[in-house]
Amino acid sequence: MKAKKVTTVKEKKVVKAKAVKKPVVKKTTVKKAVVVKSNRRTLEGTVISAKMNKTVRVSVENKMAHPVYSKVITKNKTYFAHTDKELKEGDKVTIRESRPYSKNITWVVV
């Protein structure tokens, strides 16, 4: 028969303490460039109307294939966008979703 090794409670604690110790690693701080990712949609369109104060109407053109006939269909949708820039009709702009400025204005000209 094999002889069983008898260990005391103190010996077990010492073994565990040695296994738990980890080497100390000094952390160095390096400044990184902050990149902000936005989950907001961006669309490109043309200015239709710029007669309002700090607001423009932007028409966004979306081309898609018809699901049955495969013909290319052009759909236009207009958005009201807030802006501080001097824009004219026909200007190409990029708009981004934002907080609501009023009932209809929830986009900003980038």
Side-chain angles (χ1 to χ4, degrees):
M1 293 186 112
K2 292 184 179 179
K4 292 184 179 179
K5 186 177 179 182
V6 179
T7 58
T8 60
V9 178
K10 291 181 182 180
E11 288 177 6
K12 286 184 180 179
K13 287 183 182 178
V14 172
V15 171
K16 287 183 181 179
K18 288 181 181 177
V20 174
K21 287 186 180 179
K22 294 181 181 178
V24 178
V25 178
K26 292 183 180 179
K27 293 183 180 180
T28 58
T29 58
V30 178
K31 293 184 180 180
K32 296 181 180 179
V34 178
V35 178
V36 178
K37 291 186 179 180
S38 178
N39 293 334
R40 297 175 179 170
R41 292 187 298 165
T42 57
L43 302 172
E44 293 180 3
T46 57
V47 176
I48 297 174
S49 173
K51 297 177 181 177
M52 297 169 273
N53 293 333
K54 296 187 177 183
T55 304
V56 292
R57 272 181 60 203
V58 179
S59 175
V60 176
E61 189 175 278
N62 184 19
K63 291 185 179 182
M64 57 176 281
H66 191 277
V68 176
Y69 302 114
S70 301
K71 180 181 177 182
V72 176
I73 302 170
T74 303
K75 291 188 176 186
N76 288 323
K77 184 161 182 182
T78 59
Y79 296 95
F80 288 95
H82 176 78
T83 183
D84 292 328
K85 303 173 186 175
E86 298 281 334
L87 297 173
K88 299 175 187 173
E89 292 182 15
D91 289 346
K92 299 278 185 183
V93 293
T94 302
I95 58 175
R96 185 188 77 224
E97 267 185 325
S98 70
R99 66 176 178 85
Y101 284 91
S102 67
K103 177 183 172 184
N104 295 325
I105 304 169
T106 58
W107 294 83
V108 174
V109 175
V110 180

